[in-house]
């Protein structure tokens, strides 16, 4: 019987140092992209892709994430009293979206360690990992594209995109070949976390969406610190290759690195221009700039 991807894990325990000072007291996952915190885009993507359970790996100082997806009685009562029906609905939609489960990562030991914290909540089934910094704008949700591929190959899937030049060093990089007749699916031979530009095995960067088989947890328990002295998810996935097939999927869509200041600005412009309520005047404003 084919297994179904029902659970999505969101590592959200990092410090968000790339966005200081904004992230000194606010979790980076709560930074607003137009008018929604970036983590909400990821949660909506997971639900639109068929996931039913959302697991968030949090840490100290991240309680705003829990509050955001919870009911805010005082706010709702106030909006109701003032007849602000639309806003009330927006707030209720967020708290009704899904019941989330939370698990804490006590120490910032790296992405691999954060995913390991979800072991008991995930159990023995394939699951998705979504890195909330990576906001992906796609006609078919990126995770849905990956789940469709998973359904065909029944192996772990990593989202990939081509990154030109030295910027590749900021990513995990896949080594492998496209499947015959399916150039978007790359069968992995190896992978390396944050290689030097000269040593990168390809231009195929791993982006923050993964579907992993539960075998990953044993490997996550065994890995030793890798790039940057952190326990790296990429190193555990590389270990998975010894016993299972792993694939990269070149997804259709535009990926924004919303955990980066310039990336967030670009995402803001793109998403704001698409808004029916204020996209047109925003476009006019941008056109009026003498740049
Ligand atoms: C993480 C992963 C890396 C991946 C990247 C995508 O790195 O470790 O393999 O390419 O996300 O955004 P981070 O950006 O957390 O350093």
């Amino acid at each position: 019987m084919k297994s179904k991807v029902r659970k999505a894990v969101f590592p959200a325990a990092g410090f968000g140092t790339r966005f200081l000072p904004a992230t000194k007291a606010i979790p980076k996952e709560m930074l607003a992209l137009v008018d929604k915190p970036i983590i909400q885009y990821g949660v909506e993507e997971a639900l639109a892709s068929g996931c039913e359970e959302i697991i968030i790996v949090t840490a100290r100082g991240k309680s705003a994430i829990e509050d955001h997806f919870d009911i805010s009685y005082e706010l709702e009562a106030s909006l109701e009293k003032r007849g602000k029906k639309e806003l009330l609905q927006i707030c209720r939609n967020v708290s009704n979206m899904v019941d989330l489960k939370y698990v804490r990562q006590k120490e910032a030991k790296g992405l691999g360690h954060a995913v390991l914290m979800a072991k008991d909540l995930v159990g023995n089934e394939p699951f998705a990992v979504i890195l909330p910094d990576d906001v992906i704008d796609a006609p078919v949700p990126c995770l849905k594209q990956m789940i469709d591929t998973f359904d065909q190959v029944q192996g772990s899937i990593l989202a990939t995109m081509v990154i030109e030049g030295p910027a590749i060093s900021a990513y995990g990089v896949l080594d492998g070949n496209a499947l015959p007749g399916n150039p978007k699916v790359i069968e992995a031979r190896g992978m390396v976390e944050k290689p030097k530009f000269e040593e990168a095995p390809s231009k195929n960067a791993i982006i923050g969406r993964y579907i992993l088989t539960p075998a990953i947890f044993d490997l996550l328990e065994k890995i030793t610190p890798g790039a940057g002295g952190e326990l790296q998810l990429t190193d555990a996935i590389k270990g998975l290759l010894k016993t299972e097939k792993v694939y990269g999927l070149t997804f259709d869509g535009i990926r924004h690195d919303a955990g980066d200041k310039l990336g967030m600005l670009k995402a803001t412009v793109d998403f704001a221009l698409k808004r029916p309520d204020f996209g047109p005047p925003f476009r006019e404003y941008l056109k009026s700039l003498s740049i």
Side-chain angles (χ1 to χ4, degrees):
M1 209 185 86
K2 287 192 170 180
S3 8
K4 203 174 167 298
V5 179
R6 301 186 308 124
K7 302 181 180 182
V9 174
F10 287 72
F15 290 125
T17 44
R18 291 188 296 156
F19 229 115
L20 283 168
T23 45
K24 226 184 127 198
I26 294 170
K28 70 169 169 178
E29 297 77 13
M30 289 303 295
L31 292 174
L33 170 50
V34 183
D35 56 2
K36 270 196 288 193
I38 57 174
I39 193 165
Q40 191 178 330
Y41 289 88
V43 170
E44 287 174 355
E45 179 184 329
L47 297 177
S49 304
C51 292
E52 294 152 8
E53 215 177 296
I54 303 293
I55 299 163
I56 306 209
V57 183
T58 63
R60 272 182 305 283
K62 299 279 186 169
S63 56
I65 300 176
E66 290 172 60
D67 290 343
H68 179 68
F69 290 103
D70 201 353
I71 296 172
S72 174
Y73 287 106
E74 301 84 348
L75 175 63
E76 288 190 14
S78 156
L79 292 172
E80 198 150 24
K81 207 167 129 199
R82 291 187 290 146
K84 305 261 185 200
K85 283 192 185 144
E86 260 181 53
L87 290 176
L88 183 62
Q89 200 49 53
I90 288 173
C91 290
R92 285 196 173 146
N93 288 347
V94 178
S95 51
N96 287 337
M97 202 172 279
V98 62
D99 279 327
L100 294 97
K101 298 204 164 89
Y102 297 91
V103 60
R104 301 268 283 211
Q105 184 190 22
K106 290 185 191 163
E107 285 175 89
K109 289 186 180 174
L111 178 60
H113 183 253
V115 173
L116 178 59
M117 297 299 103
K119 180 181 175 182
D120 290 345
L121 289 175
V122 169
N124 191 27
E125 57 182 281
F127 64 103
V129 174
I130 291 190
L131 306 189
D133 284 10
D134 284 332
V135 176
I136 300 178
D137 189 15
V140 175
C142 178
L143 190 64
K144 173 81 171 65
Q145 298 175 41
M146 296 170 72
I147 289 176
D148 290 346
T149 308
F150 174 83
D151 288 343
Q152 290 161 23
V153 299
Q154 292 282 299
S156 295
I157 315 273
L158 321 178
T160 62
M161 70 183 271
V162 170
I163 297 281
E164 299 286 349
I168 194 84
S169 295
Y171 297 87
V173 183
L174 203 66
D175 182 16
N177 290 108
L179 289 185
N182 199 347
K184 285 188 176 170
V185 181
I186 302 160
E187 187 177 333
R189 194 167 36 225
M191 65 199 69
V192 43
E193 180 67 16
K194 301 195 173 64
K196 286 191 187 132
F197 173 45
E198 314 79 55
E199 288 163 16
S202 76
K203 292 179 178 178
N204 294 315
I206 302 168
I207 299 305
R209 302 284 183 280
Y210 308 76
I211 293 174
L212 299 169
T213 58
I216 197 72
F217 290 119
D218 281 349
L219 294 156
L220 285 170
E221 269 163 358
K222 286 184 198 126
I223 49 168
T224 51
E230 297 190 342
L231 296 171
Q232 295 291 354
L233 181 59
T234 306
D235 292 341
I237 303 173
K238 194 173 160 189
L240 205 54
L241 280 174
K242 291 193 185 126
T243 50
E244 294 182 10
K245 293 207 183 225
V246 175
Y247 302 87
L249 175 70
T250 315
F251 58 92
D252 289 324
I254 296 168
R255 172 258 186 172
H256 295 282
D257 182 1
D260 167 77
K261 291 172 187 176
L262 181 59
M264 178 63 118
L265 285 170
K266 290 179 182 173
T268 303
V269 172
D270 272 23
F271 278 68
L273 283 173
K274 286 188 187 174
R275 285 287 291 254
D277 40 357
F278 50 75
F282 184 53
R283 184 177 301 275
E284 288 313 310
Y285 167 70
L286 290 179
K287 279 191 195 158
S288 77
L289 295 176
S290 42
I291 45 173

